[in-house]
Amino acid sequence: MTDPASLATDPLFGLPLADLWFGLLFFIFATFLFLDGFDFGVGALFATREDDDEREQLLSAIGPFWDGNEVWLVVFGGAMFAAFPAVYANLFSRHYLLMFAILGALIIRGLAPEMYEQRHDEAWQRWWGRAFVVGSLAAPFFLGMFTANWLFGATTIVTLPGLVVGLAVVALTVVDGVAFLRLKTRGDLRDDLRTDGFRALAAYLVLVVVTLGYVYGAAPALRPALFSAPITALVLATLVLAGVYAAATRADRYYVAFGAAAGLVFSLVGIVAGLMYPAIDRAGGLTVETAIVSTLPLNLMSIGAAILLPLVFVYFAVLYSAFSGPIEAGESY
Amino acid sequence: MIDPVTASRLQFALTTIVHIIFPVMSMGLAPFLVYFTWKDIRTGKPIYEQLRRFWTRIFAVSFVVGTVTGIVLEFEFGTNFAAFSTTAGELFGGPLALEGMMAFMLEATFLGIFVFGRERVGNPLYMVSAVAVGLGTWLSAVWILIANSWMQTPRGYELATENGQTIVHLVDPIAAYANPRFPWMFVHMQNAAVESVALFMAGLGAYFVFRHHVWGYPVENVGFWETTLKFGLLALLITAPLQVLHGDLYARHIVETQPQKFAAMEAVWETDSYVPEYIVAFPTSIGDLLDPRAKDIFGIGIPGGASWLASGGDPQASIQGLNEFEGPQPPVAIVFWAFRIMVALGFWFILLAVWGGYRWWNGELLEDDLLHKALMASTPLGIVAVELGWVVTEVGRQPWVIQDVLRTSDGVSPGLTGLEATATLAGFAVVYLGLLALYTYVVVRIVRAGPPDVSTTDVDRPEMPASEVGADD
């Protein structure tokens, strides 16, 4: 252990904490996008199911999980606030209306399943079902727009890469949602979902290619990073993982497909982070080194995160193992 | 069009005022749920299963609405108060991040097991989940109040100017985070949450007991509601006197650390000694309502009471008047009346507790229709008192967002336009009021549906004074 007095002056164990927090921030974002991503995907797929019983299964599948999944977004915000307050302030105030669109979509998305279950008459469930679908599509779309604007340093809200990345993230959440639902459901529903997964995967790959083409053609500042070893590796990983996902889905290897979906999400976020580094707010002119907080709070936060994040993974392991396997009928309060 | 500063302040006020209701419900319910779960597992009596399942439903809805409204608050610091976030991020961001990692994660993951997992997990893990959820809700308040109390009594920092912007640097984490305001805020807030839920339970219980025993409509599950009434009353007996007790000590702490706020709470403009404390205050003209001055208010007061309160026992003590502070004043009318009504409610709750306790003691709890009516009318008043308390806390420290360090008007995002801020304010007014209506509607439906059917064995009712019942408060 380092000497307590040196906490104020030297980084903990001499670690490159600014870079570590940059990585941690995107790791938290990717975890959120993967976990809440399948909740969004389930919401989008809800639109394709007419049967009441199937709809109930979709809601039951995410019931115990979505709250915990969404907390990763809160942790993302908190971590950015704690480690890079200037980025937190600049980025969110610059994307003012887009942030509120994201928050609005998340409100609708979070509320709808809870409300849907409160009453069992047709009109009520029809409207809350629609709200669930709209919120589940809008949240990842706006999040994708936000991510693209952040990466490209856009100062306006609606940009071409923003729209493309928005759609890509929606497609990816559907891929993710299918992988999750195939773990949690049985019978016809499980088989039907396979096609939805393939279509979403194809759309996702096309949109990723378009985005990378845009980086090459229209974002000269990012072009050198595009051909760096890590980004090339992550792009190749995306292709491989897509192949694994498709093969595993065809062969009913549910857990392999789910793992591949996770890999796809982490690869995408990795590509974004890799293209961005060493900037962390291109439009605000901030780099990782200039935006990081001073040594003392950074050390304290690092100790906190090093203790707490492993614990959080324990909670998730307990939760997911308690509800492992396909959902049973009639699970409730 | 509203200017960005005013619109941001209104928006933050609106979203906080609506949001706080849901954490109050979950924090207040947490100890009850832990107790009901424990008794359910240990005794297997149907009443405890009913209590656990019924209140878990209310908890779950509160938690969901609390989550969706709370995420907005976190991000509003970045969107609307970017200058504040840049200035104070080093001190203020840490507690928020730790709240997420330490408290919210614990609460949200174990809530999944607690709400959906009774059939899936064994008793030990189920009990652990109940405790984890309860602990999570309370830890969440710890971190939020650490952040908030630092804004009230900032310590352990140094100021520097970087790129023309004032930056707060953390130099002494213990002074900053274990700051003098925190314990008062935490004790007062947590007790208030339990008290609010106690009033809520007692009021609901009284409604059904009244219908059944006084009006004579047969109420199914009346035993459940009688037990609910008793649990509510018992918790009220414990929490109501405590609330006034530490409220008084808290006020004295405000005198020492935020004299301007205290002067606004008492509407003292000129520094004076032997200042009375009005228990009941009547404005003699409409002007006094909007611009209260302690000297002009007609009321029933304790001579020297405010001085006594401020100094901790000296009725002759002098109170620093608002005129001694430079710059803008807090909106005195809001602070003065909010404080007055909160204190009056606090005493009303003690009266209710004593009244109900006395009737219960004499075995007349089920017949006293006036008591039932009083309890019914008081169902939401605990939450009203909490809101008023926060109004005193937050409006009372204006014009400062960080006391004596940063003005609220200097904390707003520099690039924000009036159009953007007004548009989102209007949007949130609609959404948040809609959420509040929806929440009320759902809670009413849950109450109407009543407790779930378990087995038909007779219910068990706590006897007065049931020492075991109060074990968790």
Side-chain angles (χ1 to χ4, degrees):
Chain A
M1 195 59 211
T2 39
D3 171 27
S6 71
L7 277 178
T9 48
D10 305 325
L12 204 63
F13 305 120
L15 290 166
L17 289 180
D19 289 341
L20 281 176
W21 273 90
F22 178 80
L24 186 61
L25 196 62
F26 279 95
F27 172 77
I28 292 170
F29 188 64
T31 307
F32 160 71
L33 203 59
F34 167 58
L35 293 175
D36 219 21
F38 63 66
D39 302 329
F40 296 145
V42 170
L45 290 161
F46 195 81
T48 66
R49 301 291 132 192
E50 296 289 328
D51 182 64
D52 283 346
D53 186 52
E54 288 188 349
R55 290 187 150 202
E56 287 291 341
Q57 284 188 54
L58 260 52
L59 293 176
S60 308
I62 60 168
F65 305 119
W66 79 265
D67 248 329
N69 295 345
E70 202 157 297
V71 174
W72 285 95
L73 182 65
V74 178
V75 173
F76 168 74
M80 191 196 268
F81 200 171
F84 302 102
V87 178
Y88 184 83
N90 283 349
L91 198 58
F92 293 164
S93 61
R94 190 169 343 107
H95 292 101
Y96 189 79
L97 293 175
L98 187 54
M99 285 306 299
F100 283 99
I102 293 171
L103 295 171
L106 288 174
I107 288 177
I108 297 172
R109 209 288 312 230
L111 208 59
E114 186 70 30
M115 290 300 139
Y116 186 92
E117 300 284 8
Q118 292 293 336
R119 268 176 62 172
H120 291 274
D121 61 278
E122 206 192 316
W124 177 269
Q125 294 208 327
R126 190 168 58 240
W127 281 101
W128 282 112
R130 282 177 188 160
F132 183 42
V133 173
V134 168
S136 300
L137 289 170
F141 179 70
F142 291 139
L143 279 163
M145 280 177 79
F146 172 80
T147 310
N149 288 350
W150 181 12
L151 171 61
F152 293 108
T155 48
T156 51
I157 287 178
V158 183
T159 58
L160 182 65
L163 296 174
V164 176
V165 176
L167 290 175
V169 174
V170 172
L172 186 56
T173 59
V174 174
V175 172
D176 197 2
V178 167
F180 176 71
L181 283 175
R182 281 173 56 80
L183 289 175
K184 304 300 292 179
T185 57
R186 289 187 172 127
D188 288 348
L189 178 57
R190 193 184 233 181
D191 291 335
D192 290 353
L193 286 165
R194 197 183 279 148
T195 319
D196 296 312
F198 290 146
R199 287 185 185 148
L201 183 65
Y204 174 66
L205 291 176
V206 169
L207 291 160
V208 167
V209 170
V210 172
T211 309
L212 294 176
Y214 178 88
V215 173
Y216 182 77
L222 301 180
R223 201 185 296 161
L226 191 58
F227 297 105
S228 66
I231 303 293
T232 312
L234 286 169
V235 173
L236 287 175
T238 299
L239 294 174
V240 172
L241 287 163
V244 171
Y245 177 90
T249 303
R250 186 151 308 167
D252 287 342
R253 303 278 300 273
Y254 308 112
Y255 282 95
V256 177
F258 190 59
L264 285 171
V265 176
F266 278 84
S267 300
L268 176 68
V269 175
I271 291 171
V272 170
L275 286 175
M276 187 181 293
Y277 186 85
I280 185 169
D281 177 14
R282 196 167 294 277
L286 292 170
T287 66
V288 172
E289 288 299 329
T290 55
I292 196 78
V293 284
S294 50
T295 311
L296 178 61
L298 188 61
N299 281 337
L300 294 175
M301 277 304 300
S302 302
I303 296 170
I307 296 168
L308 292 168
L309 284 176
L311 263 178
V312 169
F313 283 105
V314 174
Y315 309 157
F316 272 77
V318 172
L319 175 69
Y320 279 80
S321 65
F323 294 93
S324 62
I327 39 175
E328 311 291 336
E331 291 195 47
S332 66
Y333 296 112
Chain B
M1 196 73 56
I2 310 174
D3 69 278
V5 173
T6 311
S8 295
R9 292 176 67 175
L10 286 175
Q11 181 175 308
F12 204 85
L14 170 84
T15 46
T16 338
I17 283 172
V18 176
H19 169 71
I20 188 72
I21 296 170
F22 315 112
V24 163
M25 290 298 289
S26 39
M27 287 186 299
L29 277 170
F32 289 100
L33 284 179
V34 169
Y35 180 75
F36 295 154
T37 306
W38 170 245
K39 293 294 280 185
D40 178 22
I41 288 174
R42 222 180 48 164
T43 68
K45 286 184 181 160
I47 182 69
Y48 291 111
E49 187 182 341
Q50 284 188 315
L51 284 166
R52 173 179 66 75
R53 287 172 58 183
F54 178 83
W55 290 103
T56 298
R57 287 176 150 200
I58 306 244
F59 186 95
V61 176
S62 309
F63 186 81
V64 167
V65 187
T67 306
V68 299
T69 52
I71 291 177
V72 173
L73 285 185
E74 185 192 23
F75 285 93
E76 270 176 339
F77 289 115
T79 53
N80 291 68
F81 294 93
F84 162 79
S85 300
T86 310
T87 299
E90 211 174 283
L91 260 124
F92 195 82
L96 289 199
L98 290 170
E99 187 218 3
M101 285 190 272
M102 185 187 283
F104 212 24
M105 279 291 185
L106 187 68
E107 186 179 3
T109 46
F110 283 97
L111 187 68
I113 298 178
F114 187 67
V115 171
F116 295 96
R118 190 67 190 97
E119 314 297 323
R120 284 253 185 181
V121 302
N123 285 340
L125 180 55
Y126 194 70
M127 191 65 223
V128 165
S129 305
V131 173
V133 170
L135 192 66
T137 61
W138 281 48
L139 277 176
S140 192
V142 168
W143 289 107
I144 289 301
L145 294 178
I146 282 178
N148 188 287
S149 62
W150 181 79
M151 296 159 88
Q152 311 281 346
T153 48
R155 297 282 189 281
Y157 67 94
E158 262 170 18
L159 291 179
T161 308
E162 285 168 24
N163 307 321
Q165 207 159 9
T166 307
I167 303 285
V168 168
H169 282 299
L170 176 67
V171 291
D172 183 351
I174 294 171
Y177 295 134
N179 93 64
R181 177 59 53 82
F182 170 73
W184 297 117
M185 275 194 150
F186 183 76
V187 169
H188 205 56
M189 182 67 215
Q190 294 309 75
N191 196 66
V194 179
E195 188 180 7
S196 300
V197 167
L199 283 157
F200 190 79
M201 283 184 155
L204 281 192
Y207 172 74
F208 288 103
V209 167
F210 179 78
R211 278 180 72 88
H212 187 87
H213 292 286
V214 180
W215 272 3
Y217 295 129
V219 172
E220 219 187 329
N221 293 309
V222 72
F224 172 85
W225 295 112
E226 288 168 14
T227 312
T228 300
L229 168 61
K230 288 175 183 174
F231 272 112
L233 212 49
L234 195 64
L236 191 64
L237 268 165
I238 298 164
T239 51
L242 284 176
Q243 191 67 9
V244 171
L245 202 70
H246 47 64
D248 169 54
L249 297 169
Y250 184 179
R252 206 163 304 158
H253 183 255
I254 291 173
V255 180
E256 288 165 22
T257 50
Q258 290 178 303
Q260 192 176 9
K261 183 191 278 183
F262 186 78
M265 283 155 64
E266 296 292 344
V268 176
W269 286 84
E270 301 298 335
T271 301
D272 202 358
S273 58
Y274 203 62
V275 180
E277 176 71 38
Y278 294 109
I279 301 299
V280 191
F282 300 99
T284 45
S285 74
I286 191 81
D288 289 341
L289 197 62
L290 302 175
D291 182 20
R293 280 156 200 274
K295 284 186 178 290
D296 299 338
I297 295 279
F298 172 77
I300 305 166
I302 303 166
S307 291
W308 187 84
L309 193 68
S311 61
D314 177 12
Q316 300 291 344
S318 128
I319 292 179
Q320 212 174 352
L322 284 163
N323 286 340
E324 291 200 22
F325 299 92
E326 286 185 21
Q329 300 287 359
V332 176
I334 297 176
V335 182
F336 177 81
W337 290 112
F339 181 61
R340 241 117 244 83
I341 300 169
M342 177 189 75
V343 171
L345 287 174
F347 281 104
W348 167 241
F349 300 153
I350 292 180
L351 182 71
L352 269 183
V354 172
W355 179 8
Y358 176 76
R359 290 300 201 178
W360 188 359
W361 186 263
N362 286 332
E364 300 156 347
L365 183 61
L366 304 182
E367 291 100 58
D368 188 342
D369 60 328
L370 192 62
L371 172 69
H372 299 160
K373 285 178 190 163
L375 286 171
M376 279 185 251
S378 304
T379 311
L381 292 186
I383 288 169
V384 171
V386 171
E387 298 279 9
L388 293 169
W390 275 106
V391 167
V392 175
T393 305
E394 299 299 289
V395 179
R397 81 173 128 118
Q398 300 306 320
W400 301 102
V401 63
I402 307 169
Q403 183 74 47
D404 300 323
V405 177
L406 185 72
R407 292 256 173 97
T408 311
S409 51
D410 296 330
V412 171
S413 307
L416 189 60
T417 65
L419 179 65
E420 286 172 331
T422 310
T424 55
L425 171 63
F428 273 109
V430 173
V431 171
Y432 270 57
L433 296 178
L435 281 171
L436 191 56
L438 200 61
Y439 175 78
T440 312
Y441 171 77
V442 169
V443 168
V444 168
R445 275 184 64 90
I446 293 173
V447 171
R448 284 231 180 104
D453 285 326
V454 282
S455 108
T456 47
T457 353
D458 199 16
V459 293
D460 151 281
R461 291 162 202 171
E463 296 301 319
M464 169 86 186
S467 55
E468 55 160 15
V469 180
D472 335 63
D473 291 300

